[in-house]
Amino acid sequence: MAIADPPTSADFAELRADYRAFMDEHVYPNEVALGREDDAAQELIVELRARAKAEGLWAPHLPPDAGGTGQGFLAYAHLNEEIGRVLWAQYVFNCQAPDAGNGEILHLFGTEEQKERWLMPLVEGEVRSFFSMTEPEVSGADPTALRTTARLDGDEWVIDGHKWFSSGAEGAAFGIVMAVTEPDAEPHRRMSQIIVPADAPGIEIEAVPVMGHRGRGWSTHCDVRYTGVRVPAANLLGERGDGFRIAQKRLGPGRIHHVMRWLGQMQRAFELMCRRALEREAFGGPLADKQTVQNWIADSAADIQACRLMTLDAARKIDEGSEARVEISLIKFFGADALSRVIDRAVQVHGALGLTNQSPLGQMYPIARGAHIYDGPDEVHRMVVSRRILKAFADGGSWEFG
């Protein structure tokens, strides 16, 4: 049997062009208006989402059997080089975090009833959701220490605890909550995931101001308190004690989704930097003639290409059935560094203009700082990579790249 050649960039060129055309016509012209996050922006986002859905550009992170239009991780990586260029575009195409990750685990682990009640409205864009795991009292880098509990009382779970940075919780219809249900089990089997309606009695949701985000609706990062919150036992996602395993299934793809979008941010910042260098004159000539600026452009091109090839490699391996844990951790910390470096250089070339709302860089810069923290800080991902490599050597082998 002949083995098919792996897909190449050319295989996704037409699909990518469709998204680029939509961005050019509908997203870029409305970027400033969307960023105001006022009532007019909410009306506009509804209109743009309807257009994207009508044009078949909807939920590209999920396969057709889950209600999306996805063609795999590698295709999605290429699409995100377009989608990621504007913060709001992921929401326009209904592939935004945290809903994208929640949709994936509901598709993988949800019962038929859960899929009908929660997944279908999520994929249709009728509701939003949030993922409630991180807690203020314990390190987010060590989820085995989470304190929120859920005890079974008859046919109901009773949830008590305090979460924060539950992104998008304001105005969401439901959340997926990580809670300790098996306190006496070994650390990675103590937790379960439970679907909780956002209007359940005992839930308090408060938006937390975060650098780079105005904080309304989808863009909020919230403090969430659960006080005697009762939900049906049937709202358990997967099996008891499966919370950590499901979280890994969610966070792995979620991390590569982030890096895919960062590629779009980097490439846009790079283009802005190059154009500004050619247009702006200082000390008798364009900035493009200055060696320091030339070095920044060359270094940025290297950063982007390295991150891009690493991301496409990880996406290909996921499509082939690998969890690609090392590859995902590599691109998570390398991509965050590359993103920050490229945007920082672009801001420097723009000078004071780069800090204002007259340039997309003014919003991109503070948001890029968060890339080093969410979904696992850089230090933890470096530790994961080094430990796995060293274990291979300690077991008498070596580490092969590729």
Side-chain angles (χ1 to χ4, degrees):
M1 180 184 294
I3 299 175
D5 292 331
T8 66
S9 297
D11 295 307
F12 307 117
E14 184 175 347
L15 181 62
R16 183 167 171 171
D18 291 338
Y19 280 82
R20 183 185 303 122
F22 190 98
M23 294 281 291
D24 288 341
E25 184 175 356
H26 301 295
V27 179
Y28 293 121
N30 291 302
E31 183 175 10
V32 174
L34 292 171
R36 295 191 185 105
E37 299 189 52
D38 54 16
D39 291 342
Q42 296 301 311
E43 294 175 4
L44 180 57
I45 201 76
V46 171
E47 176 188 332
L48 295 179
R49 282 161 67 85
R51 286 180 178 271
K53 194 173 186 179
E55 294 188 22
L57 306 177
W58 192 248
H61 62 293
L62 286 173
D65 62 335
T69 59
Q71 298 182 23
F73 271 88
L74 191 55
Y76 189 48
H78 282 280
L79 295 184
N80 265 299
E81 290 187 79
E82 305 297 336
I83 297 171
R85 293 165 69 92
V86 176
L87 173 67
W88 289 93
Q90 56 184 297
Y91 193 23
V92 169
F93 296 112
N94 198 34
C95 57
Q96 70 279 359
D99 299 299
N102 287 345
E104 287 173 337
I105 59 175
L106 282 167
H107 175 56
L108 291 173
F109 300 101
T111 64
E112 290 306 312
E113 292 76 16
Q114 289 171 349
K115 290 177 182 179
E116 183 174 350
R117 180 173 180 186
W118 308 110
L119 177 60
M120 289 179 62
L122 191 66
V123 177
E124 286 297 312
E126 297 169 358
V127 301
R128 290 189 294 101
S129 65
F130 63 98
F131 188 65
S132 207
M133 183 174 79
T134 305
E135 298 178 0
E137 292 83 10
V138 298
S139 170
D142 182 15
T144 64
L146 296 177
R147 298 178 182 178
T148 295
T149 62
R151 59 180 177 85
L152 201 56
D153 181 22
D155 59 355
E156 291 182 319
W157 291 105
V158 183
I159 304 171
D160 290 279
H162 182 198
K163 304 286 189 178
W164 72 344
F165 288 99
S166 293
S167 301
E170 183 184 80
F174 69 94
I176 297 178
V177 181
M178 182 87 97
V180 176
T181 60
E182 324 300 317
D184 298 325
E186 57 95 7
H188 290 90
R189 295 292 304 170
R190 295 174 67 239
M191 292 159 290
S192 302
Q193 293 192 19
I194 301 171
I195 305 168
V196 180
D199 60 357
I203 292 184
E204 300 174 71
I205 297 175
E206 181 181 359
V208 178
V210 174
M211 180 173 68
H213 297 267
R214 287 186 173 86
R216 177 179 178 181
W218 165 65
S219 67
T220 54
H221 301 276
C222 297
D223 188 284
V224 185
R225 293 183 183 272
Y226 302 88
T227 306
V229 177
R230 289 180 172 267
V231 299
N235 283 25
L236 179 72
L237 185 61
E239 302 295 328
R240 291 182 64 152
D242 268 357
F244 188 83
R245 182 175 71 91
I246 295 174
Q248 290 305 303
K249 289 288 187 181
R250 180 191 188 282
L251 294 172
R255 287 163 181 147
I256 193 171
H257 289 176
H258 285 310
V259 182
M260 291 172 182
R261 287 189 287 267
W262 298 346
L263 286 170
Q265 291 279 289
M266 283 184 245
Q267 291 175 27
R268 190 177 186 195
F270 180 76
E271 292 169 8
L272 290 167
M273 174 170 55
C274 291
R275 293 191 181 107
R276 181 68 174 177
L278 290 167
E279 296 167 356
R280 185 67 166 177
E281 298 224 354
F283 302 104
L287 292 178
D289 288 347
K290 317 305 179 189
Q291 186 176 26
T292 296
V293 174
Q294 292 172 355
N295 288 341
W296 288 341
I297 291 171
D299 291 344
S300 295
D303 278 337
I304 293 169
Q305 185 67 344
C307 186
R308 184 173 186 271
L309 294 176
M310 291 167 67
T311 302
L312 294 177
D313 178 63
R316 175 184 59 81
K317 289 177 179 175
I318 291 174
D319 278 343
E320 292 172 352
S322 170
E323 291 189 353
R325 288 193 178 183
V326 170
E327 290 82 359
I328 288 173
S329 283
L330 273 172
I331 61 173
K332 177 61 171 63
F333 73 77
F334 183 86
D337 280 344
L339 175 69
S340 293
R341 287 193 296 263
V342 173
I343 294 177
D344 187 75
R345 293 168 188 143
V347 169
Q348 197 70 9
V349 169
H350 281 72
L353 175 62
L355 303 177
T356 72
N357 61 5
Q358 297 180 40
S359 165
L361 298 169
Q363 183 186 43
M364 293 164 68
Y365 190 85
I367 291 178
R369 183 60 185 84
H372 297 274
I373 297 174
Y374 58 72
D375 278 3
D378 293 355
E379 297 78 11
V380 169
H381 286 291
R382 284 186 166 91
M383 178 182 68
V384 168
V385 170
S386 62
R387 282 183 176 178
R388 286 181 175 265
I389 291 174
L390 290 171
K391 185 178 185 302
F393 281 91
D395 291 342
S398 61
W399 185 263
E400 293 187 8
F401 295 92

